[in-house]
Amino acid sequence: MSVQPEQATEKSAAGALMRVSSDKIGRLMDLVSELSLSVSETINSPDLQDLDLVDFEAASHRLSMIVREVQDAATELRLVPVSEVFRRLKRMVRELERETGKKIDLELRGEDTAIDKLVADRLYDPLLHVVRNSADHGLEPPDERVAAGKSDKGTIILGAAQVGSEVRIQVIDDGRGLNREKILKIARKRGFFGPDEEPEPSTLWKCIFEPGFSTAEAVTTLSGRGVGMDVLNTTMKDLRGRIAVDSEAGNGTSVSLHIPVSLAFLDSILLRLGNQLFTVPVEDIHEIVKPTGSESVEISADNGTEMLKLRGKFIPVRRLETFYRNCRKEIRPLSDMVSIVFSTARGHIAVPVDEVLDRQQVVMKPLTGALAQVRASWGCALLATGEVAIVLDCERLAVGGDK
Amino acid sequence: MSQTEAVEAKTEAAAMPIVDSDGIESMYLTFAVGDESYGVSIGMVTEIVGMQTIMSVPDVPHYIKGVINLRGKVIPLMDVRLRFGIEERPYDERTVVIVLEVDDAPIGLIVDRVSEVLDVPADKIDRTGNFGGGEGKSMVSALARIEDRLAILLDVHALVSDSDLKMPDLS
């Protein structure tokens, strides 16, 4: 392994680097989460209720603090700086410069941002496509740039920053920006928008990530085949990530990938519907509302689709009761429930539940075997109480129907 | 560690003979569902636990009653009575969960009670029967004759797959 010299000296002061197999770390993580569960089970045992245990309270408080720290330390074991991925992209950009004949300045920012090793390993391919797109379609050839009054050298900024439990990776170029007319024309042709619909820029830009969507006139070896974006979409889905695009004609484009720092832990809000528990990543929630009766309408002509009126806008309601099999069958009026408004790629949706319980850091487990058929879910979550909740994937919930 | 704990939890299970590892191929854990006696290969069984609080989950077939959290592992529970189309009955103190590992995924079978571990020699197993009169793959792999009794040996792969069931209308 090649370690940069300044890093090597820094590391040797704190101790040598060790290579540990990811299985061993995985085992440790499993044990730590079991430990944390059984500690919380012990401390919250019903046998202890109504007892006045002053020393026990103090000791158990200390114990929970330590467990929490152990959990953090174990999570940190899996974190690596994004600089590893960025370095590989730097080499790629040199190659792109040669192939396109464009001059590209690559600026790296926030390389120390830490991210789960499993996530980092999967980031290279999707990022590569975004960077390629910027270099190939975003940046203009030198003469065109000079004519537009820009420096002949194009700049691509590759930045990373942690915001809450998310890492945001941005690819910003100072190229020609996205062409609204061209993209809108293709998007209309593909049926994403009606002929007279004028979508918001952020909604329109997202179309460029639809499979097979390419405005590049000529398919080059670099990009334009619309295949790369599939890789981006699939990977982002697997990583529970989101994509945001911003662009200004003549001034460039910025693509942000929002990815959770760790796939094992989830900062989530716990919801209850009937006797079932659900949980959703905090960052997916736009707002939580308690509508009154007058704020909802039902459209019989569209299979009784319900809409929630929120500050003058209508938001489609997705009922878990009708989406899922063997969920509670009784449909209670919206005014008796709490509606969670999610931001999804298809716009906002409102999901009514009986109760919003708590905000919790939960351990995620994949759905295997008999549970693999649960639709619109990332997995299941083990709560501190030992209960199990289904983690909702609001993107797939918004799409509705089958997987 | 886990095995012992679980076995202790159930006195009947504690009375089970220690399984000799050489003969594991011919060993079957038998259990009762209604008046019938069923058996699963002991190699599939990871542990036997008492009934615990089941948490309901959406989008699973009706015979999957929900999940339990077994020391940090989420295990779906199948009510074998519902799976076989027998009338459901309330769980009592003899109801147990047999946890199996099938195709790398855990599944718990809710059965009326566990009976014993039996060593069934190959010549006592009758595989000639043509099971699966209904549609799809049969859950029965063979019949075992033990003295004057009969145990129905299950094909756990067929048991956990729901290919023999028609999916309910989702619309």
Side-chain angles (χ1 to χ4, degrees), chain A residues 163-353:
Chain A
V163 181
S165 61
E166 269 186 354
V167 167
R168 296 195 181 155
I169 298 186
Q170 281 193 305
V171 179
I172 306 167
D173 66 60
D174 67 343
R176 54 171 80 96
L178 294 173
N179 186 326
R180 184 179 167 95
E181 261 79 85
K182 212 147 114 192
I183 292 171
L184 191 57
K185 208 173 115 195
I186 298 179
R188 281 183 177 148
K189 211 189 278 170
R190 300 274 311 262
F192 296 139
F193 304 105
D196 302 313
E197 212 176 324
E198 286 293 335
E200 294 271 319
S202 61
T203 318
L204 177 64
W205 301 148
K206 274 188 189 140
C207 289
I208 64 172
F209 300 115
E210 289 295 328
F213 194 102
S214 179
T215 60
E217 278 102 26
V219 171
T220 68
T221 53
L222 294 178
S223 50
R225 280 162 296 183
V227 178
M229 289 308 167
D230 283 356
V231 177
L232 180 62
N233 276 324
T234 323
T235 314
M236 290 304 279
K237 220 177 226 170
D238 290 352
L239 298 179
R240 300 201 319 265
R242 286 177 301 130
I243 309 171
V245 192
D246 192 22
S247 181
E248 198 184 320
N251 277 328
T253 307
S254 107
V255 176
S256 327
L257 309 184
H258 300 194
I259 305 155
V261 177
S262 164
L263 293 178
F265 294 96
L266 187 72
D267 192 12
S268 73
I269 300 273
L270 192 60
L271 312 168
R272 184 181 64 80
L273 179 70
N275 60 350
Q276 293 174 339
L277 293 175
F278 295 93
T279 180
V280 282
V282 169
E283 56 269 18
D284 287 352
I285 296 182
H286 186 255
E287 65 178 296
I288 297 175
V289 289
K290 180 104 184 64
T292 60
S294 60
E295 284 163 327
S296 64
V297 287
E298 201 168 314
I299 305 169
S300 308
D302 190 30
N303 290 322
T305 304
E306 289 173 284
M307 299 290 254
L308 177 70
K309 193 175 168 192
L310 193 62
R311 289 186 292 277
K313 281 197 172 176
F314 285 101
I315 299 170
V317 174
R318 288 272 183 276
R319 290 264 191 184
L320 297 177
E321 297 95 313
T322 49
F323 180 80
Y324 282 129
R325 290 180 276 149
N326 75 342
C327 205
R328 185 181 61 192
K329 282 288 151 278
E330 177 206 354
I331 304 270
R332 292 167 55 189
L334 279 183
S335 50
D336 286 357
M337 302 176 84
V338 185
S339 283
I340 318 297
V341 179
F342 293 112
S343 353
T344 75
R346 299 186 169 226
H348 290 157
I349 56 166
V351 176
V353 295

Side-chain angles (χ1 to χ4, degrees), chain B:
Chain B
M1 161 209 98
S2 53
Q3 227 95 353
T4 31
E5 258 175 34
V7 171
E8 272 164 16
K10 213 68 204 171
T11 40
E12 283 154 285
M16 282 193 313
I18 302 299
V19 178
D20 189 357
S21 61
D22 323 324
I24 203 162
E25 296 284 302
S26 59
M27 302 289 243
Y28 290 88
L29 174 69
T30 58
F31 55 89
V33 178
D35 297 331
E36 293 166 314
S37 179
Y38 287 89
V40 287
S41 170
I42 196 88
M44 297 291 212
V45 179
T46 47
E47 63 183 290
I48 300 167
V49 293
M51 203 56 201
Q52 5 205 310
T53 322
I54 304 181
M55 288 156 278
S56 169
V57 290
D59 238 17
V60 286
H62 71 287
Y63 54 77
I64 301 289
K65 297 296 280 185
V67 295
I68 54 168
N69 171 5
L70 198 60
R71 298 184 309 279
K73 264 193 172 164
V74 177
I75 297 170
L77 294 195
M78 172 191 291
D79 188 318
V80 174
R81 283 178 160 261
L82 292 176
R83 180 70 176 99
F84 293 169
I86 316 175
E87 197 191 338
E88 197 174 358
R89 63 155 224 190
Y91 302 138
D92 57 27
E93 72 281 359
R94 304 192 76 185
T95 307
V96 284
V97 174
I98 301 174
V99 182
L100 308 176
E101 183 88 17
V102 184
D103 302 325
D104 291 329
I107 176 106
L109 306 183
I110 305 173
V111 302
D112 292 356
R113 61 190 160 81
V114 281
S115 313
E116 58 198 320
V117 176
L118 288 178
D119 190 352
V120 189
D123 63 324
K124 297 280 187 207
I125 294 180
D126 183 2
R127 289 185 196 278
T128 54
N130 188 10
F131 305 110
E135 276 171 63
K137 200 164 179 272
S138 171
M139 294 180 267
V140 178
S141 70
L143 293 181
R145 283 167 281 121
I146 309 118
E147 288 154 23
D148 56 340
R149 286 175 300 146
L150 196 68
I152 304 154
L153 304 185
L154 291 171
D155 177 346
V156 289
H157 298 278
L159 184 71
V160 299
S161 90
D162 51 9
S163 56
D164 61 319
L165 291 179
K166 272 193 239 125
M167 291 297 273
D169 198 356
L170 291 175
S171 60

Side-chain angles (χ1 to χ4, degrees), chain A residues 16-30:
Chain A
L17 286 178
M18 267 196 260
R19 289 181 80 140
V20 183
S21 79
S22 61
D23 285 353
K24 280 186 185 168
I25 294 185
R27 167 118 180 92
L28 180 68
M29 299 280 284
D30 281 350

Side-chain angles (χ1 to χ4, degrees), chain A residues 37-59:
Chain A
L37 279 178
S38 62
V39 164
S40 115
E41 238 172 56
T42 310
I43 294 173
N44 300 318
S45 162
D47 295 352
L48 302 172
Q49 244 168 29
D50 309 322
L51 293 181
D52 192 22
L53 306 165
V54 182
D55 289 346
F56 177 82
E57 292 284 333

